[in-house]
Amino acid sequence: MKILVAIAFVAILLSLGAALMYMMRGSAPPAEGQAPKKGNMANALAFRVGFSIVLFICVLVSWKMGWIQPTGIPPGT
């Protein structure tokens, strides 16, 4: 489970970096007769948000199934 979470965090950070690259590079106006480019930055950010939600749901399901156990400060302390 630790490896899965680590891989997910790396994927989230890479998509965030890709969005930053697309934002900094900008987009040139389309050439004559060509369709404008799609929003690469928006796609990268949408992937990041979707992947974060999937990771959160996987952690919750894993906890409910008993595959992972919470650690830390006990409740009521």
Side-chain angles (χ1 to χ4, degrees), residues 40-58:
N40 290 330
M41 185 179 81
N43 288 339
L45 290 174
F47 174 79
R48 182 188 68 87
V49 169
F51 208 71
S52 297
I53 291 170
V54 167
L55 176 63
F56 183 72
I57 290 171
C58 285

Side-chain angles (χ1 to χ4, degrees), residues 2 25 42 56:
K2 290 179 185 180
R25 187 172 55 178
F56 183 72

Side-chain angles (χ1 to χ4, degrees), residues 13-42:
L13 289 176
L14 286 176
S15 67
L16 192 60
L20 176 66
M21 181 190 68
Y22 291 132
M23 182 180 72
M24 296 303 288
R25 187 172 55 178
S27 62
E32 186 66 32
Q34 291 182 348
K37 291 176 113 179
K38 301 268 184 192
N40 290 330
M41 185 179 81

